[in-house]
Amino acid sequence: MQPDAIAAPSRRNPVSKATPRRGRRRSALEGALACALACAIACTLACAPARVHAQARALEVRIAGQEALAPKWVYLRNSVVGICPDILAAVERIEPRLRFAGYRQSRSLPGIEAGLDGGSVDVACALIASERRQAIAERVGPAVYVVRHRLAARSDDAIEVRSVTELARMGALVVGQRGGVFVGTLRAAGVRIDDATDDNGVNLRKVLAGHGRFVEMNEITMQHYLRSDVFEGRLRILPVVIGTEPAYFWVSRKADPAIARLLGPALERLKASGELDRIYAQRTSSP
């Protein structure tokens, strides 16, 4: 019986010696997990104030969209797209301290100018220079694109115009956008003008109906309309370009000065990277 009594403890000895080692390993693993969790929590707590602070620093920039001016502004059922919305999104990506708001409601061109003057609108997108705009707002950044002014006539009208001087001498009525800077230029040159509305679609319909021989419009908007089912084949764009002018962002002189300080460099970066030109090309290419 003695061998059996001696053998029994020898089978239990390995178990009793291994148990503390496994316990130590579990304790070490639990400690490592606890440490990692503590670090993750600390990091989250440390980063959260920075994110909140960055959001708190973002300036809400009130910008008004422009009526009837595709593809610069295109108002769909549930969204706003076009050249200007694309530029605004690109600015927000590289300058998170700016957040644009308000452009889901469009305004007439005179309404935008009144907003800049009164301070209810901070920024306007892609407008050419005028004495009034220079008085009420500050031009910032590079030109976002160049506006080319064109004339259109009915397709069955073979008339050609070579210059503004010839247009004035002709005495024909030109339909243009209310508040448009170049419409004022034509009027000052002696051209007969009807600028009763700022709706470009209405102006094209006027010419089709025989009210006015020509319609004046910026080239990209005119091309956009004439590709539509309503106007395609019924109007033609005359070869002459009667004026070219750069279009800029404008910041109201009553807006927070930080807006101009942040927006100008952001637009410069987008111009240098080719992003402004890419947006323009994408939105003005034929469908």
Side-chain angles (χ1 to χ4, degrees):
M1 297 298 293
Q2 187 174 2
D4 290 339
I6 295 172
S10 67
R11 287 194 298 268
R12 290 193 297 267
N13 284 342
V15 176
S16 61
K17 291 179 180 178
T19 300
R21 286 198 296 271
R22 285 203 296 269
R24 286 195 297 272
R25 283 198 297 270
R26 280 199 302 271
S27 297
L29 180 59
E30 290 169 354
L33 290 173
C35 182
L37 180 60
C39 290
I41 292 172
C43 181
T44 300
L45 292 175
C47 294
R51 287 195 298 269
V52 171
H53 186 55
Q55 292 171 356
R57 288 204 314 270
L59 291 171
E60 182 178 274
V61 181
R62 298 165 299 173
I63 181 167
Q66 196 170 341
E67 294 175 349
L69 207 66
K72 179 178 167 182
W73 296 97
V74 182
Y75 283 83
L76 306 176
R77 185 182 298 272
N78 297 312
S79 62
V80 185
V81 299
I83 295 172
C84 284
D86 286 356
I87 293 174
L88 300 181
V91 168
E92 288 182 343
R93 284 195 297 271
I94 66 170
E95 182 46 87
R97 289 172 290 180
L98 295 176
R99 286 292 177 268
F100 297 97
Y103 59 87
R104 293 188 178 278
Q105 298 296 321
S106 63
R107 297 193 187 193
S108 65
L109 189 53
I112 292 173
E113 290 182 334
L116 290 171
D117 189 15
S120 63
V121 171
D122 296 317
V123 170
C125 172
L127 298 181
I128 63 178
S130 71
E131 288 185 9
R132 173 165 169 75
R133 291 168 193 169
Q134 290 170 341
I136 64 178
E138 174 188 356
R139 190 179 73 192
V140 297
V144 290
Y145 57 83
V146 174
V147 176
R148 290 156 55 95
H149 299 281
R150 305 289 294 271
L151 296 172
R154 292 185 303 276
S155 295
D156 59 359
D157 188 346
I159 189 68
E160 295 295 344
V161 177
R162 290 182 292 272
S163 68
V164 172
T165 301
E166 183 177 327
L167 184 64
R169 190 165 52 243
M170 189 180 298
L173 182 64
V174 176
V175 182
Q177 186 181 37
R178 178 167 56 96
V181 172
F182 200 71
V183 166
T185 301
L186 293 177
R187 181 180 278 119
V191 177
R192 291 177 58 216
I193 294 292
D194 168 15
D195 59 349
T197 178
D198 59 1
D199 189 319
N200 286 302
V202 170
N203 287 336
L204 291 168
R205 288 183 176 90
K206 282 184 176 182
V207 173
L208 284 176
H211 179 78
R213 190 169 190 180
F214 303 105
V215 60
E216 183 278 326
M217 200 177 298
N218 75 76
E219 182 179 59
I220 61 174
T221 298
M222 185 178 287
Q223 289 173 340
H224 179 87
Y225 274 103
L226 298 194
R227 286 196 294 260
S228 71
D229 294 338
V230 176
F231 299 109
E232 187 174 16
R234 304 175 69 189
L235 293 158
R236 67 183 181 89
I237 301 176
L238 275 62
V240 65
V241 176
I242 57 175
T244 59
E245 295 171 282
Y248 297 91
F249 270 77
W250 297 80
V251 177
S252 169
R253 297 193 182 277
K254 296 181 179 178
D256 187 330
I259 294 175
R261 289 199 300 268
L262 295 173
L263 180 57
L267 291 169
E268 293 283 1
R269 288 173 59 189
L270 292 174
K271 184 67 174 180
S273 70
E275 182 67 4
L276 289 182
D277 294 337
R278 185 198 66 77
I279 290 171
Y280 181 84
Q282 182 181 50
R283 288 294 181 181
T284 58
S285 60
S286 300

